[in-house]
Amino acid sequence: MISGLVVHFSEDESLTNAALIEIKAKANIDIGIQSERCLPIVVETDSIESSHKMTDWLFELEGVSHVDVTYVHLDE
Amino acid sequence: MDSQSQPKQLTLLGFLILSLSVVGYFVGLQSPVSSELEERTVDPLLVKHETGADDDVMLATHYAKMNLSGKADQTWMTKLSDLQELPYDPYEKIEVSFDQKKEALLYREKNRAFNGAPPTVPHPVDQFSTASCVACHTEGAKTASLRIPKMPHPFYANCTQCHVEQKSPLLNDELFRENSFVGLPAPEGGPRAFSIAPPQIPHTEWLRNDCLSCHGRTSLPGIRTTHPWRTSCTQCHAASSDSGQTLIDSTPQFLSPIPIKK
Amino acid sequence: MQKSQSSRRDFIKSAAMASATAVAAGISDPSLPILSAAEVGDSGLEWNKAPCRFCGTGCHVQVGVQDGRVVAVAGDKNADVNKGLLCVKGYHVGAALYGEDRLTKPLLREGDSYVEISWDKAINIIADRIEGDPHKFAIYGSGQWTIPEGYAAQKFIKGGLSNNHIDPNARLCMASAVTGFLATYGVDEPAGCYDDLDECDVLIMWGNNPAEMHPVLFSRVIDRRSRGEEITLIDIGTRRTRTTTQCQHYLEMKGHGDLAIANGIAHLLIKNDTYNKEFVESFCNFKAPDSDNPNLHGKGISFDDYKVMLERYTPEYVEELSGVPADDIRMLGDLFGNPDIKITSLWCMGMNQHTRGTAINTLVHGIHLLSGHFGTPGDAPTSLTGQPSACGTVREVGTLAHTLSGGRVVANPEHRKHTEEYWNLPEGRINPVPGYHTVLMWEKFCTPSDQGGDIDTIWVQVTNPGQTLPNLNKLFNGKKELKEKFLIVSEVYPTATTVLADLILPSAMWVEKNGVFGNSERRTQQWFKMVDPPGDARDDTWQTIAVAHRLFERGVEGMKDKDGKFIFEVLDEQQKPVPIWQWENYYDTNVDKHLFEEYRQFTRLKHKDLAPYDEYVKERGLRWPVVQQEDGSWKETHFRFSEGYDPYVEPGKGMQFYHSSTKDDRAQIWFHPWEPPAEVPDEEYPLMMTTGRVLEHWHTGTMTRRIPELNRAMPAAYIEMNPEDAAAYEIRNGDLIRVESRRGVIELQAWVAGRGKPPVGTVFIPFFDETILVNDLTLDAIDPFSKQPDYKKCAVRISKV
């Protein structure tokens, strides 16, 4: 399952950088070109549940204020 | 727009379906079964000769039939697959200007009596068969010279029941009598709860439930969506239609408020 | 489009990234420019229900009204009939109100032109004409009359003037369907309904082109097929049409071939022993025409007599008479002989406009009864109507020259008595002698008074006889020279009829007034006035009541009931009469509702029960009989005569024809012989001509030709011919052709194999064009029982101009 997400970072730069490092460390996340405090990413998981978990994990990172789901592909 | 609103079942709909291979399928599905189609190819007014093995030879129209201008025929229909679609980049940046939008709405006004009326057909139609309607308008297409709108509603078998020619193929189309009917104009935009909220759908979705038909890539530039990769339109754009399509006695009921003594 | 698994995955990922990037980059950009958001959502647009103004299908539309004008129309999703769909005419029905040349003032002829006069003067002129000789006055009405309009006209002339010279244009349209139902079931109107179209396995169209004439009903069937259901469509016709192309079988017949085909099917059912013995033995009798004493109910015959009469109608003999191959007749015989499939027959003008119209109607009912394809959903012989209230206003209200409301007839003393009681009239007020039927009425009107032309004034409402009567030179144009004759026309536009009118009255139309229609499937439909009529145009019901009251003021006895009160008196809540004869007070009360509630009393006798007016306000129509349930609610009836559906069938009967003409609860299976058409091609006039409609235009085009979208698509009448005939006459598309019959001549353009394609030797001309009057050519020969003319067959010759 493939989702397109937009991660919104908080105003605190140190927290943002810490969050970025954690995100980059995930093998199943592709990182796009950051625009101001918004980072487009693509998450690939093997089930809907793990996709939800990944979104929740992102949401709970310090330095992430907000996550938008822009795209979901379900059929595999 | 917040992360709590988890998307529901989003599936990839858009931009894959560019092929016109469906033409053959639909032509096959149409079962006019009567021998009319066959019979017309041996129309006595057509030049009769053996076409032999070379199927690419197109029968010439007899001069006597020429002033029946531009009638759609079998040949026309089956050659559609040769049309070259324009290359399509779904991520191309789309910007819509005020003027383009105005232009699109004016164009649409020209071929329908009011917002919601079935559009009239700007080309000759086959008097007998709907197969040729279906061939082009099931998916729609955009070529260098043609914009073929996609049906915004499910397939109904009798296309000419609602869509008539803009101009009679044979007779002078001068208006018989002036008419002062003024149709409901198309809305210029949907209402928004606040400035950056997604606009609501300002028209009924009845018979217009395929949003991409009018707002997708084969649409007029002025009403084209700026975000075609998002295919679950009604996820963000709520209905706001007021076409009176509710049963008279279906007023919603609520529980009485809590009685609080002062 | 094939893609490998991994490239597909990459594609999806790139799409996901693109969407996320786009959002990240431009989250605050509004997607589309807003031109004038303030206007949106506060448009002042109001929607309300109404049945469509055009054909007898009875689709419901939602009418959008803004600033006192109709601005949009949508299919009504809550309507059973059309389920949200419409045809192109329905979508554009709103524009029918806004032709620039709407009539807005009463106009009185002065020599070759007209002067505007007041309504008061117009009413006086009509009252004078009637008082001059009340029995030489006639009303010519229509299946486009609303139920209250027809009921008011009926009460005015039959109850007020003791005069039965009232007949509607529906005489030209479905009179043979009426006689067919009466002769078969003893009571008029179809037993089935449109639900049959959702259930049938086989749909047979007898001389019917529903793809253009009743498109919403036809789509209901062919859309089932495109959803994957298997339905066999059979077109029995005299010309290839848009319907034909959707059908698996096209049985091209000669005119009157239908009589032979129906007999051929009956012959095969008996010969193959596939008729439904149980059904026939339990529920049917046999009938044949009584040649010594021709009458609608003929004479009873035995089953053996019936078999003998059918003996000669072998498939081969039927082929000889009809032109339809014997194998196709066998196919029909096998279909009817198969009890496991459901067969619905549809017909309209093809079987009704027929000099043997009553016969062919009874024969088609007969094969359904003989084979037992009757009375369950999907098994039904169903006649369609062409006008929105042919059933409601003509057949149910009984506005024909020989009928009274609720299935009664003037010749029956009991029926007259009921009517006088409901109307509170003195005994003997209603004239027992039937009035003139349409063809006779116009013949008398066009005959000089000193030569027996004893109709001197006709008041035409809601129709256009100057275009639709057959043989116009005889039945209409003759009026021109007769100065003593006076033609009054209530209309919304100038028409071929107003051309000869002496007094023209501007009328309100459709949603400019309250109304009630009754469609082809027994469905009664109500709507409210939504916009004002233009200028001084007024409701037809008001016009009738205003004339009645003027006569009442002048002391005409007939306008009083037996207590001396005005026959159209309407009381308010304080029991005071409302002066509804004054236009400014007409809408002080709902006159429609008062008339409807009075009329409703009549509907019980023949079990055509109607619900109270207010029930129809809530519904998208209800199919009668509408019977009140124990809980007080009102329930409609889908299938008549059939136990479990029809509340009037006694338990245990299964099937009960409770108005049987033989008083034994049985339907009549008729034999009628094949007979040739009234006129057939010969050396002098070598081509058969048939007439009809096209999708875009309804009736005489007075409304649809004023709607730009419809008129551009079909601007003028044309002659349609077979390419072989065209080649023989060296005719090309667009050539001007002179068409002559023994009765007249017209000139029009050729369209070779145009909208439809007639067989060799046949030409087709639609009748919608007021400047190309095909009825200058048609024949005024009529069916002996229904008095309905045959518009579909006459001999013509053609030449290039």
Side-chain angles (χ1 to χ4, degrees):
Chain A
M1 144 147 203
I2 294 169
S3 331
L5 307 176
V6 177
V7 179
H8 300 245
F9 294 114
S10 68
E11 290 184 18
D12 185 324
E13 268 192 36
S14 62
L15 287 177
T16 298
N17 287 336
L20 249 179
I21 290 165
E22 292 226 37
I23 292 170
K24 280 179 179 166
K26 293 273 179 192
N28 59 344
I29 295 184
D30 289 352
I31 311 271
I33 300 159
Q34 189 169 342
S35 167
E36 293 174 19
R37 288 200 305 278
C38 298
L39 176 70
I41 61 172
V42 171
V43 180
E44 193 175 4
T45 55
D46 46 15
S47 70
I48 297 177
E49 289 74 38
S50 46
S51 171
H52 283 191
K53 270 188 199 151
M54 182 62 80
T55 315
D56 292 343
W57 174 80
L58 283 165
F59 203 67
E60 279 159 22
L61 281 176
E62 268 194 292
V64 171
S65 67
H66 189 80
V67 180
D68 272 336
V69 181
T70 65
Y71 189 100
V72 177
H73 181 79
L74 283 171
D75 78 356
E76 276 149 292
Chain B
M1 208 185 295
D2 66 21
S3 61
Q4 306 306 310
S5 63
Q6 290 288 336
K8 290 170 196 159
Q9 295 200 332
L10 296 191
T11 47
L12 184 72
L13 290 180
F15 35 90
L16 276 178
I17 324 160
L18 307 178
S19 161
L20 285 170
S21 60
V22 286
V23 167
Y25 167 71
F26 266 99
V27 172
L29 186 78
Q30 283 290 295
S31 48
V33 205
S34 77
S35 57
E36 177 62 15
L37 293 179
E38 264 169 279
E39 192 181 302
R40 273 187 304 141
T41 60
V42 295
D43 188 319
L45 280 185
L46 291 178
V47 179
K48 267 191 193 167
H49 63 85
E50 293 298 319
T51 53
D54 187 1
D55 286 339
D56 290 340
V57 174
M58 205 186 282
L59 284 180
T61 303
H62 193 282
Y63 292 161
K65 276 197 110 178
M66 285 227 163
N67 52 359
L68 184 59
S69 55
K71 185 176 169 184
D73 59 22
Q74 288 295 99
T75 319
W76 187 10
M77 186 176 72
T78 55
K79 293 294 172 191
L80 182 78
S81 53
D82 291 348
L83 290 177
Q84 288 296 313
E85 281 244 26
L86 285 184
Y88 173 46
D89 170 14
Y91 312 117
E92 113 191 64
K93 187 164 171 61
I94 295 163
E95 280 176 295
V96 176
S97 72
F98 182 94
D99 288 341
Q100 276 177 316
K101 187 162 181 184
K102 197 105 193 164
E103 195 185 328
L105 296 181
L106 283 174
Y107 176 86
R108 284 169 61 85
E109 251 174 42
K110 272 191 207 145
N111 72 340
R112 68 204 70 208
F114 54 88
N115 179 42
T120 51
V121 184
H123 56 73
V125 303
D126 186 322
Q127 294 294 333
F128 285 95
S129 165
T130 54
S132 49
C133 316
V134 173
C136 295
H137 294 289
T138 300
E139 286 304 331
K142 205 164 189 175
T143 71
S145 60
L146 275 180
R147 190 183 66 79
I148 304 171
K150 179 176 190 276
M151 266 187 258
H153 52 68
F155 171 66
Y156 295 107
N158 189 3
C159 308
T160 49
Q161 170 182 326
C162 298
H163 301 282
V164 296
E165 287 160 291
Q166 239 161 54
K167 185 175 172 10
S168 161
L170 182 67
L171 299 150
N172 190 338
D173 71 339
E174 267 176 41
L175 280 191
F176 170 76
R177 287 277 194 262
E178 291 300 315
N179 188 301
S180 64
F181 175 79
V182 181
L184 181 69
E188 295 178 338
R192 294 172 195 251
F194 50 93
S195 71
I196 60 162
Q200 293 177 54
I201 302 169
H203 55 74
T204 173
E205 290 148 74
W206 175 237
L207 292 177
R208 286 192 273 175
N209 48 358
D210 184 341
C211 308
L212 293 178
S213 161
C214 299
H215 302 295
R217 67 174 296 252
T218 63
S219 64
L220 295 162
I223 53 172
R224 193 169 162 188
T225 173
T226 55
H227 41 282
W229 54 85
R230 290 182 157 173
T231 52
S232 180
C233 311
T234 50
Q235 174 188 333
C236 299
H237 301 282
S240 74
S241 127
D242 57 349
S243 64
Q245 296 278 352
T246 48
L247 282 166
I248 287 165
D249 52 0
S250 63
T251 317
Q253 300 296 312
F254 296 96
L255 294 172
S256 310
I258 298 168
I260 299 172
K261 279 188 187 154
K262 287 198 174 162
Chain C
M1 192 177 288
Q2 297 284 318
K3 270 184 184 286
S4 74
Q5 211 38 38
S6 72
S7 73
R8 178 168 157 72
R9 187 171 143 265
D10 289 346
F11 180 79
I12 294 164
K13 285 180 82 167
S14 68
M17 182 59 81
S19 80
T21 306
V23 172
I27 195 127
S28 64
D29 289 348
S31 52
L32 286 171
I34 306 172
L35 300 186
S36 55
E39 289 173 21
V40 176
D42 186 32
S43 56
L45 182 64
E46 276 190 43
W47 295 89
N48 209 338
K49 64 144 190 175
C52 176
R53 172 65 181 76
F54 297 127
C55 79
T57 301
C59 297
H60 264 96
V61 298
Q62 284 286 336
V63 185
V65 174
Q66 200 174 36
D67 302 328
R69 285 173 64 97
V70 175
V71 295
V73 167
D76 191 332
K77 281 196 277 185
N78 294 312
D80 272 353
V81 171
N82 51 311
K83 305 178 196 303
L85 297 182
L86 290 175
C87 79
V88 68
K89 291 186 294 298
Y91 281 111
H92 295 96
V93 57
L97 273 52
Y98 299 110
E100 288 282 13
D101 55 343
R102 270 296 290 269
L103 297 168
T104 57
K105 295 271 183 206
L107 299 171
L108 180 67
R109 179 182 288 278
E110 271 190 5
D112 288 337
S113 60
Y114 291 87
V115 289
E116 290 181 359
I117 59 168
S118 68
W119 268 108
D120 191 59
K121 187 170 175 193
I123 299 294
N124 270 328
I125 290 169
I126 302 172
D128 291 347
R129 288 296 304 188
I130 294 170
E131 275 203 290
D133 195 338
H135 294 281
K136 288 187 177 171
F137 170 74
I139 293 179
Y140 185 65
S142 155
Q144 299 159 59
W145 255 337
T146 66
I147 285 174
E149 283 168 354
Y151 180 75
Q154 160 96 322
K155 186 175 181 182
F156 169 64
I157 192 164
K158 285 179 182 156
L161 299 176
S162 302
N163 167 348
N164 295 331
H165 294 319
I166 175 173
D167 217 37
N169 66 358
R171 178 76 75 176
L172 311 174
C173 169
M174 32 98 299
S176 298
V178 177
T179 48
F181 281 110
L182 288 174
T184 305
Y185 310 102
V187 65
D188 186 23
E189 295 199 37
C193 63
Y194 299 158
D195 298 11
D196 293 313
L197 300 172
D198 303 330
E199 303 290 334
C200 63
D201 303 303
V202 177
L203 181 70
I204 305 181
M205 286 148 288
W206 299 77
N208 195 206
N209 177 12
E212 291 193 73
M213 309 320 154
H214 299 89
V216 167
L217 298 182
F218 190 60
S219 287
R220 200 157 153 173
V221 180
I222 59 175
D223 285 339
R224 279 176 61 201
R225 191 169 61 188
S226 63
R227 288 194 294 266
E229 295 182 50
E230 271 187 39
I231 305 144
T232 302
L233 294 160
I234 302 174
D235 177 12
I236 305 177
T238 55
R239 157 183 174 253
R240 278 183 181 275
T241 64
R242 284 185 176 173
T243 301
T244 317
T245 59
Q246 298 280 356
C247 292
Q248 286 95 330
H249 302 281
Y250 172 50
L251 278 48
E252 192 163 87
M253 65 166 205
K254 301 181 214 163
H256 279 203
D258 43 8
L259 295 161
I261 294 167
N263 280 339
I265 294 167
H267 170 99
L268 287 169
L269 286 170
I270 288 169
K271 183 167 156 272
N272 300 340
D273 202 32
T274 49
Y275 69 98
N276 188 326
K277 287 161 208 75
E278 199 190 326
F279 191 95
V280 170
E281 276 163 25
S282 312
F283 309 124
C284 303
N285 294 320
F286 292 88
K287 284 273 182 92
D290 185 347
S291 47
D292 302 331
N293 169 32
N295 74 92
L296 183 59
H297 294 295
K299 59 176 185 195
I301 55 170
S302 70
F303 183 49
D304 289 332
D305 296 337
Y306 178 69
K307 282 205 289 202
V308 171
M309 288 168 178
L310 285 171
E311 195 77 54
R312 63 191 303 213
Y313 289 90
T314 61
E316 285 68 27
Y317 181 57
V318 171
E319 174 172 346
E320 194 183 307
L321 297 175
S322 67
V324 174
D327 280 348
D328 285 336
I329 306 299
R330 289 193 189 91
M331 180 227 8
L332 290 173
D334 290 345
L335 285 174
F336 274 96
N338 181 351
D340 300 327
I341 56 172
K342 293 183 173 297
I343 305 178
T344 295
S345 287
L346 286 185
W347 68 92
C348 198
M349 296 306 127
M351 265 170 52
N352 295 346
Q353 294 178 341
H354 195 304
T355 51
R356 288 283 168 261
T358 307
I360 183 59
N361 269 271
T362 57
L363 290 180
V364 172
H365 292 300
I367 52 177
H368 275 269
L369 294 167
L370 186 64
S371 62
H373 285 291
F374 184 94
T376 54
D379 270 331
T382 295
S383 92
L384 299 172
T385 56
Q387 300 187 85
S389 199
C391 282
T393 309
V394 174
R395 293 157 78 161
E396 293 155 29
V397 176
T399 49
L400 294 150
H402 65 289
T403 57
L404 292 167
S405 294
R408 294 169 176 84
V409 291
V410 296
N412 182 322
E414 278 293 304
H415 291 177
R416 292 199 301 277
K417 189 159 166 276
H418 299 156
T419 308
E420 284 157 358
E421 278 170 16
Y422 289 137
W423 287 346
N424 194 35
L425 299 177
E427 206 182 313
R429 172 72 70 77
I430 292 170
N431 190 331
V433 183
Y436 291 145
H437 61 79
T438 296
V439 170
L440 201 51
M441 180 192 288
W442 287 96
E443 196 179 320
K444 295 286 186 188
F445 186 63
C446 292
T447 304
S449 303
D450 54 11
Q451 292 169 33
D454 57 0
I455 294 293
D456 69 8
T457 303
I458 296 185
W459 185 357
V460 175
Q461 292 189 340
V462 216
T463 188
N464 189 7
Q467 187 165 345
T468 55
L469 286 167
N471 195 0
L472 286 167
N473 289 325
K474 175 178 167 192
L475 296 181
F476 188 73
N477 300 342
K479 188 263 169 198
K480 205 171 181 177
E481 309 305 323
L482 302 176
K483 297 300 163 209
E484 76 273 24
K485 307 283 180 163
F486 195 81
L487 182 61
I488 305 159
V489 182
S490 296
E491 249 304 353
V492 298
Y493 289 114
T495 66
T497 305
T498 60
V499 168
L500 292 191
D502 298 288
L503 178 62
I504 300 170
L505 304 173
S507 289
M509 69 180 285
W510 197 43
V511 297
E512 293 167 353
K513 61 189 181 187
N514 290 340
V516 186
F517 278 160
N519 83 346
S520 292
E521 59 159 356
R522 298 177 272 108
R523 184 184 292 275
T524 311
Q525 308 161 296
Q526 175 276 350
W527 77 93
F528 285 123
K529 171 177 172 164
M530 300 175 204
V531 297
D532 285 327
D536 284 341
R538 296 177 184 183
D539 296 31
D540 291 72
T541 307
W542 175 83
Q543 296 174 24
T544 303
I545 290 174
V547 170
H549 197 265
R550 187 60 45 88
L551 293 170
F552 177 78
E553 288 163 10
R554 293 181 185 187
V556 172
E557 272 310 301
M559 296 301 136
K560 297 174 189 163
D561 69 9
K562 68 181 179 196
D563 301 324
K565 291 190 196 137
F566 180 41
I567 56 171
F568 290 108
E569 184 175 88
V570 168
L571 299 176
D572 64 13
E573 282 163 7
Q574 283 78 46
Q575 302 301 305
K576 267 178 55 193
V578 184
I580 55 170
W581 55 89
Q582 295 169 19
W583 176 243
E584 44 299 1
N585 299 103
Y586 184 69
Y587 274 96
D588 287 355
T589 183
N590 184 344
V591 176
D592 262 34
K593 180 173 170 176
H594 289 285
L595 291 171
F596 189 86
E597 292 295 338
E598 184 183 299
Y599 158 59
R600 203 161 75 79
Q601 307 173 85
F602 285 87
T603 61
R604 296 296 172 82
L605 178 75
K606 298 286 180 179
H607 300 92
K608 300 182 177 183
D609 314 24
L610 298 179
Y613 182 86
D614 290 337
E615 293 300 312
Y616 296 99
V617 172
K618 292 187 267 181
E619 303 288 343
R620 282 8 177 219
L622 292 168
R623 285 166 281 195
W624 58 256
V626 189
V627 178
Q628 193 162 28
Q629 308 298 295
E630 280 177 8
D631 65 0
S633 66
W634 294 82
K635 189 167 174 247
E636 63 171 353
T637 301
H638 294 226
F639 307 98
R640 286 162 88 201
F641 310 131
S642 197
E643 189 175 347
Y645 296 105
D646 184 339
Y648 289 115
V649 172
E650 294 162 32
K653 291 270 188 182
M655 191 72 60
Q656 188 182 10
F657 298 101
Y658 44 72
H659 285 294
S660 168
S661 59
T662 41
K663 314 272 182 237
D664 54 3
D665 288 346
R666 286 163 178 266
Q668 320 299 324
I669 297 178
W670 279 78
F671 170 80
H672 278 281
W674 176 86
E675 285 176 48
E679 190 175 73
V680 289
D682 53 22
E683 276 184 14
E684 209 181 339
Y685 295 91
L687 295 170
M688 186 65 113
M689 185 196 77
T690 186
T691 65
R693 289 214 292 108
V694 288
L695 169 75
E696 292 86 347
H697 291 298
W698 188 77
H699 202 246
T700 51
T702 52
M703 292 177 281
T704 48
R705 288 188 87 213
R706 286 174 169 85
I707 299 172
E709 285 73 15
L710 300 175
N711 197 50
R712 279 196 204 110
M714 183 55 79
Y718 61 92
I719 180 168
E720 189 178 282
M721 35 195 322
N722 187 284
E724 278 187 44
D725 286 334
Y729 284 89
E730 296 185 345
I731 287 170
R732 298 176 188 187
N733 281 307
D735 284 350
L736 193 61
I737 310 298
R738 180 194 304 274
V739 190
E740 290 170 88
S741 78
R742 289 185 172 85
R743 296 153 294 278
V745 54
I746 59 173
E747 288 180 3
L748 74 177
Q749 278 186 293
W751 192 5
V752 179
R755 177 61 61 84
K757 183 172 159 190
V760 172
T762 298
V763 295
F764 168 84
I765 303 175
F767 77 98
F768 68 82
D769 192 325
E770 67 184 18
T771 59
I772 302 171
L773 294 170
V774 70
N775 284 321
D776 285 343
L777 308 179
T778 48
L779 195 62
D780 56 340
I782 55 175
D783 176 276
F785 303 111
S786 69
K787 318 297 181 196
Q788 179 168 356
D790 188 332
Y791 290 86
K792 300 292 189 184
K793 296 153 221 116
C794 79
V796 296
R797 63 183 175 215
I798 61 171
S799 54
K800 272 212 300 197
V801 178

